Amino acid sequence: MHVPLGPRSPHSPRSPRGLRRPRRLPRLHRSRLLAFFCLTPLLAGCFASSGSGSGGGNGQGRDAGGSGSRLRVALAFPPAENLSPYGADATILSRLGVTEGLTALDGNGSAVPALAASWRREDDRTWLFTLREAVFHDGTDVTPAAVAASLARAGEARPAPAALAGVAFTAKAAGGAAVRVTTAAPDPVLPLRLSSPSLAVLSPKAYGKGKKDAVDPVGTATGPFEITRVTGTSAAALDRFDGYWGGRAQSSGVDVRFVADGAARANALRTGQVDLAEAIPVAQAATLDPGTRRETATTRTTSLHLNARSVVFKDPALRAAARAAVDASVLAEGVYEGHADAGAGIYGPAVTWAQGKRVRPAGRAKAVAPGGASLTLAAYDNRPELPEVAQVLKQQLEKAGFKVTLEVREYSRLESDALAGRFDAFVGARNSLLDTGDPVSVLAGDFTCEGGYNLARLCDPDVDRAVGKARAAADADERQDAAMAAEAVILGTDAVVPLVHQRIITGVAARVGGVTPDLYERTLVGAGTRR
């Protein structure tokens, strides 16, 4: 999802990535292991008390440098791929301040320096990035050779990260502090692309000798916080990394629990068990003190994906019937209680330029009576509104004449089946600018024949041509216009039905400052986050 999307993830049935879980912490100078977290089903267990300097629930963690309390954070999505940055887990790492890329995105969607202090375009296919002085969590320097090797490994991963959908490139050390990246075809948005959480730069120790897509971010990243312990899919501990190039973090560490139940996350914040809780359900928002709610407009759209290769929805007329049956305004005002806008397209109101450039879909098939056609509709419960959205859709589709079986699971247990096309329809929440910040990339990754996150299993030559034209546009305005034209072609297939554009509610304890939620949902905890 995927983070997120909900989370995002490359498209292909696969087993979890081969991430090692070392018995020892990767930094040799550490003298103590963090103890396992105390875990109970609804966060009734114990976090460290304020100011204790403990890393786990029993106070055996490290207060790096002896100052700054540890943050206690509840995240909605547990690791789905053993914290591999190449799939859904990439945003977990970026939101916790663990990983960084060469670039980052600002609030206007422009690329800004991160590990690269500057860059310039040498010709239409070649870019030169100059690195800042930085150190990996394992104590080794961030060198051009290490950066080039890290980018190369991301390019070799299969399935490819969504940010690299249809993109071939080489990265080489270029002397001094420079890295030269050369793309097989002109790529005018490469600096945006390299901001993707899935293209995080890791040290050579992250890759080992296993499969090309096996990668271990534990102790090998560059951010203000370093992973020191992972307890399966239930918890993790991070310590402040004192060698961070951006300055010493104000918190000594972060204790994380992965809690799929939205009510449990809200309750943990309300009772003081956590300092931050992401994705507070709209139904729980009113139970929180107004001062602890942060509502952020995002580029996330919840959509109904209709599997264009399934028995029922390979017929465009039945896809049109399903689309006609959906009333998105009911979802925005009912399920989301006004914390969302009815779906207008793949891009929502947070993508401000899209509203004046939207093109009306054309060429849609004529809807036919479903005649009792049977389908399986799937949704995940990490985002608590989605099961309710799916239930409303079930009722609307059944009223139109479909027979609907509803299947709801936690995302990590649903992902592989969804990506393999084992459902006729799927309700998912996708941040359209998460992967690259480039509006065209989400179209290429989600709706083309070679797309890495093609939940609708769409393979339409008209769509591929429209997206290809948008990808070739170098001028920003022309690229936006072409993206909106491609959006219209995609919507014309009725393989995706935009439902709502979301505003995300984050629970933040009153004593906590410096939280960094953004419209791309890439950041949450940073060097300045403190309690």
Side-chain angles (χ1 to χ4, degrees), residues 292-313:
T292 65
R293 299 196 305 261
R294 305 280 181 87
E295 185 165 322
T296 306
T298 72
T299 54
R300 177 172 298 278
T301 298
T302 295
S303 300
L304 172 65
H305 299 265
L306 304 178
N307 186 343
R309 301 184 199 178
S310 74
V311 173
V312 57
F313 287 130

Side-chain angles (χ1 to χ4, degrees), residues 226-468:
E226 171 188 0
I227 301 173
T228 55
R229 185 77 176 193
V230 177
T231 308
T233 59
S234 59
L238 289 66
D239 280 351
R240 175 168 56 208
F241 176 54
D242 290 337
Y244 180 53
W245 62 265
R248 195 165 177 262
Q250 295 190 33
S251 294
S252 62
V254 185
D255 297 324
V256 185
R257 291 190 185 175
F258 302 104
V259 184
D261 187 283
R265 292 194 301 275
N267 185 61
L269 182 79
R270 190 167 49 248
T271 58
Q273 296 179 63
V274 300
D275 305 303
L276 292 174
E278 72 168 356
I280 296 295
V282 295
Q284 297 290 323
T287 70
L288 300 180
D289 184 283
T292 65
R293 299 196 305 261
R294 305 280 181 87
E295 185 165 322
T296 306
T298 72
T299 54
R300 177 172 298 278
T301 298
T302 295
S303 300
L304 172 65
H305 299 265
L306 304 178
N307 186 343
R309 301 184 199 178
S310 74
V311 173
V312 57
F313 287 130
K314 66 182 179 182
D315 183 349
L318 286 176
R319 296 201 300 269
R323 184 255 309 160
V326 172
D327 181 355
S329 64
V330 172
L331 302 173
E333 295 302 320
V335 175
Y336 288 89
E337 300 181 15
H339 294 283
D341 301 294
I346 295 169
Y347 312 105
V351 186
T352 54
W353 54 262
Q355 309 315 305
K357 294 175 177 281
R358 181 153 281 128
V359 179
R360 185 179 181 86
R364 280 176 161 158
K366 184 178 180 180
V368 298
S374 297
L375 64 97
T376 299
L377 171 63
Y380 49 93
D381 57 10
N382 305 74
R383 295 192 180 276
E385 294 81 20
L386 294 188
E388 189 175 351
V389 167
Q391 185 61 48
V392 173
L393 291 177
K394 180 178 185 291
Q395 295 170 359
Q396 292 180 344
L397 291 168
E398 287 177 338
K399 184 177 180 180
F402 290 96
K403 294 180 179 179
V404 183
T405 299
L406 183 59
E407 186 161 346
V408 177
R409 305 180 204 161
E410 195 272 329
Y411 183 81
S412 64
R413 297 177 53 243
L414 188 74
E415 181 193 53
S416 60
D417 285 342
L419 294 172
R422 296 192 178 103
F423 306 115
D424 300 293
F426 184 85
V427 179
R430 181 79 156 101
N431 195 311
S432 61
L433 298 184
L434 170 65
D435 294 322
T436 65
D438 171 35
V440 180
S441 294
V442 71
L443 305 183
D446 290 18
F447 302 108
T448 64
C449 294
E450 301 300 324
Y453 195 63
N454 192 345
L455 289 170
R457 310 280 285 181
L458 184 63
C459 188
D460 184 295
D462 291 336
V463 168
D464 280 16
R465 279 193 292 270
V467 173

